[in-house]
Amino acid sequence: MKAVWNGITVAESDDTVVVEGNHYFPENALKREFFTFSNHKTMCPWKGQATYFSLLVDGEMNPDAAWTYADPKPEAEQIRGRVAFWKGVTVAP
């Protein structure tokens, strides 16, 4: 699977975990040069607290476009160390 934004692949892996329709990529599949800090956080009742990354591609920012659960609840352990995308990021084979 590839995660693409603005025509640039920002993550790629054959090992994704699908939860609620979202592909979670292993952290080592991220092309780190396109990721930047975000202080945005959300809470999911069954997964726990999500922290976010913003994408910066060719000078264009996509705030809070990726998220991860650094310390997921036991029911969501399969997504520990993985990152998912939204906000215009296309995930496809």
Side-chain angles (χ1 to χ4, degrees):
M1 298 299 292
K2 290 183 182 181
V4 177
W5 186 66
N6 269 8
I8 300 294
T9 299
V10 297
E12 186 170 5
S13 178
D14 291 330
D15 173 30
T16 63
V17 173
V18 180
V19 174
E20 296 179 327
N22 296 301
H23 284 267
Y24 283 79
F25 289 74
E27 286 182 353
N28 65 5
L30 306 182
K31 297 189 178 185
R32 291 283 182 181
E33 64 268 28
F34 300 117
F35 290 77
T36 187
F37 175 78
S38 168
N39 61 11
H40 187 67
K41 294 181 172 128
T42 57
M43 182 61 74
C44 172
W46 75 273
K47 290 183 295 242
Q49 184 176 45
T51 57
Y52 288 72
F53 300 101
S54 294
L55 293 175
L56 183 60
V57 174
D58 292 333
E60 196 169 334
M61 179 78 75
N62 187 346
D64 311 326
W67 72 91
T68 187
Y69 291 89
D71 188 23
K73 292 184 176 184
E75 304 83 24
E77 187 61 34
Q78 72 272 25
I79 58 173
R80 180 183 295 276
R82 294 178 174 270
V83 177
F85 298 91
W86 68 326
K87 297 183 90 176
V89 178
T90 302
V91 176

